[in-house]
Amino acid sequence: MIAVKLRKLSKVTNSFPTSGQFDAVAIIDVQELIEIKEVANQIQKISGVERTETLVEVQ
């Protein structure tokens, strides 16, 4: 299951399966925006991941 594999990545603080357009969501915590790209690259290497979409919470 992809959500379980996502939890193994160092910057992922939570992940869970979903129904609908996407199979899973990963919540990540980074200090710098450039880190988002690094995590996205790691996620794209997971077997079964076909594409990703990134949404940023601005605080």
Side-chain angles (χ1 to χ4, degrees):
M1 177 174 273
I2 292 174
V4 173
K5 294 177 183 178
L6 289 170
R7 283 186 218 120
K8 294 179 182 180
L9 299 179
S10 64
K11 300 287 183 179
V12 174
T13 59
N14 194 10
S15 66
F16 47 90
T18 63
S19 62
Q21 183 177 357
F22 301 103
D23 294 327
V25 170
I27 308 297
I28 67 171
D29 186 20
V30 297
Q31 296 298 313
E32 302 291 329
L33 290 177
I34 189 67
E35 294 176 89
I36 296 171
K37 183 177 180 179
E38 295 168 2
V39 175
N41 287 337
Q42 292 175 359
I43 292 170
Q44 291 167 352
K45 292 178 183 176
I46 295 174
S47 177
V49 172
E50 295 179 9
R51 68 184 185 93
T52 62
E53 184 168 326
T54 303
L55 303 168
V56 178
E57 177 185 16
V58 180
Q59 296 184 1

